[in-house]
Amino acid sequence: QVHLVESGGGSVQAGGSLRLSCEVSGVMISSKCMGWFRQAPGKQREGLAAIDRDGTTSYADSAKGRFSISRDNAKNTLYLQMNSLQPEDTAMYVCAASPWPQLSEVVVGNCLGIDSWGQGTQVNVSL
């Protein structure tokens, strides 16, 4: 069973940075597509960034240029570096795993067939 545990969230001022981590067990992240999502109160869950088995990345427009997804295969850990944070980035950030190795061909910043989710880590950005 895949288990994902996020950390690294917190409160920052606008313009600041955070690095989120997602420790994964039950699957080798090097063989799967992995992604980061977020959900703000009253809004739909939004895919931000994804990385496939080959290391190819995909970003939603809201993340492009400010966020960077990466992984450490030896630690089986996924990361999301977030820079130039703004109040509208306030949300619960969740990492996710797909049983498949490839990115979605339909939705940017997403994997094909995500089926495992973490509990999330809260990010609050203030002016």
Side-chain angles (χ1 to χ4, degrees):
Q1 186 173 358
V2 181
H3 191 53
L4 306 100
V5 179
E6 302 92 338
S7 62
S11 297
V12 295
Q13 288 189 321
S17 298
L18 283 173
R19 187 194 195 203
L20 306 183
S21 299
C22 176
E23 295 184 19
V24 183
S25 59
V27 68
M28 298 302 295
I29 66 171
S30 59
S31 66
K32 306 298 182 184
C33 185
M34 304 289 298
W36 283 99
F37 295 74
R38 70 184 179 189
Q39 187 162 17
K43 295 188 177 181
Q44 286 191 328
R45 184 170 59 204
E46 174 188 17
L48 295 171
I51 182 167
D52 73 4
R53 177 182 58 185
D54 298 327
T56 301
T57 57
S58 173
Y59 295 93
D61 288 345
S62 58
K64 204 171 294 182
R66 298 189 302 132
F67 296 178
S68 178
I69 188 171
S70 62
R71 66 183 183 215
D72 185 328
N73 294 336
K75 295 182 179 179
N76 217 39
T77 299
L78 184 73
Y79 301 101
L80 184 68
Q81 177 67 43
M82 305 188 296
N83 300 324
S84 301
L85 286 163
Q86 299 301 317
E88 52 265 34
D89 295 315
T90 294
M92 181 70 75
Y93 285 71
V94 181
C95 71
S98 168
W100 310 106
Q102 63 262 48
L103 297 166
S104 169
E105 294 183 357
V106 177
V107 182
V108 293
N110 207 334
C111 297
L112 176 69
I114 292 278
D115 68 350
S116 298
W117 301 87
Q119 292 297 310
T121 185
Q122 180 68 35
V123 172
N124 296 310
V125 185
S126 59
L127 288 171

